[in-house]
Amino acid sequence: MESDISHLQLNTMLGIWIGGAALRKVIRVILAFLLLLAFGAAVWFGVGALFDLIKGFGKEAVTASITALFGLFGILYAQWHSKAKEISDSHRPAKIEVYETFFDIVERFMTEEKAAEFDPEGDEFPDDFREQFMKLSRGMIIWASPQVIRAWSGFRENSGTGSAKDTLLAVDAVLQAIRADLGNSNWGLSRGDVVKVYLKNPREVDV
């Protein structure tokens, strides 16, 4: 009897909690809709007031204002672009140093007899090679672009588990991401084209 009562109480509490959660969700949706509606109304009336203000000016004043506004936007964009390029150029030497480490690893990787079993987490992995990987991973975290980091993570996941072809294609993905990060175009390159430069038989990575 007591067990039935406890089960009934538990079911009642769960029902109240679920019902309350559903109600809170509905309230949040309604509030979000009202806020969006209020924002839209504010934008609408703001734009309307701006147009009314513009109509009060003469044609020449409106033209001059629009020209000045576009000029201001142009100056701001030029400054932003210049600053972004300055930052990118300052990072380039550090990026190249990190990527040179990757090239060293790739060249050494290509000389391994068991490329398909290339596993940096394995017990038989040479200590100096492991140190290179750790150094490269630290450099990637700091200097690599998001695309390079994703490609590098894909290579790490593939190493030692996929076929030799899959591993080589993972290397190619990193190489192409590095090229893009350094400002080089990959237009016209297909998957596997860059890593073929290292291969005696380029056709082994044809997709």
Side-chain angles (χ1 to χ4, degrees):
M1 183 65 177
E2 292 180 358
S3 177
D4 293 339
I5 293 175
S6 63
H7 285 151
L8 179 61
Q9 291 175 339
L10 179 60
N11 290 335
T12 302
M13 292 175 63
L14 286 174
I16 294 173
W17 183 81
I18 293 173
L23 180 60
R24 288 192 295 271
K25 183 177 180 180
V26 171
I27 292 174
R28 285 197 298 267
V29 171
I30 293 174
L31 288 175
F33 175 76
L34 291 176
L35 288 173
L36 182 61
L37 188 63
F39 177 75
V43 171
W44 175 266
F45 286 113
V47 171
L50 179 61
F51 274 107
D52 290 339
L53 182 63
I54 291 175
K55 288 179 182 178
F57 296 138
K59 184 178 180 180
E60 294 181 357
V62 172
T63 303
S65 299
I66 293 175
T67 302
L69 186 61
F70 275 104
L72 177 61
F73 284 149
I75 292 173
L76 292 176
Y77 174 78
Q79 290 180 344
W80 171 82
H81 187 270
S82 176
K83 186 65 176 179
K85 187 176 185 303
E86 181 182 342
I87 293 174
S88 177
D89 291 343
S90 68
H91 291 174
R92 188 179 179 86
K95 287 177 178 285
I96 292 176
E97 183 178 354
V98 172
Y99 296 153
E100 285 285 355
T101 302
F102 177 74
F103 298 145
D104 292 340
I105 290 175
V106 169
E107 291 170 3
R108 184 172 177 180
F109 160 69
M110 292 300 176
T111 63
E112 294 292 320
E113 296 181 358
K114 298 181 179 180
E117 300 177 6
F118 186 82
D119 183 10
E121 307 298 334
D123 295 334
E124 298 181 358
F125 204 70
D127 290 339
D128 60 329
F129 217 164
R130 197 188 308 276
E131 290 177 2
Q132 273 188 305
F133 258 78
M134 293 178 62
K135 177 183 177 181
L136 178 59
S137 294
R138 289 195 301 269
M140 289 284 192
I141 291 172
I142 299 173
W143 300 110
S145 69
Q147 293 78 6
V148 174
I149 291 176
R150 283 196 296 268
W152 172 244
S153 297
F155 169 71
R156 292 291 300 272
E157 291 172 3
N158 183 280
S159 299
T161 59
S163 64
K165 179 179 177 180
D166 290 338
T167 302
L168 290 172
L169 289 175
V171 172
D172 181 81
V174 180
L175 292 173
Q176 294 208 28
I178 287 174
R179 284 176 51 81
D181 190 27
L182 295 178
N184 298 316
S185 173
N186 287 323
W187 188 85
L189 292 175
S190 300
R191 187 183 180 203
D193 281 352
V194 179
V195 77
K196 286 180 179 180
V197 175
Y198 287 99
L199 304 178
K200 293 180 180 179
N201 178 19
R203 291 187 176 181
E204 64 182 291
V205 293
D206 284 345
V207 295

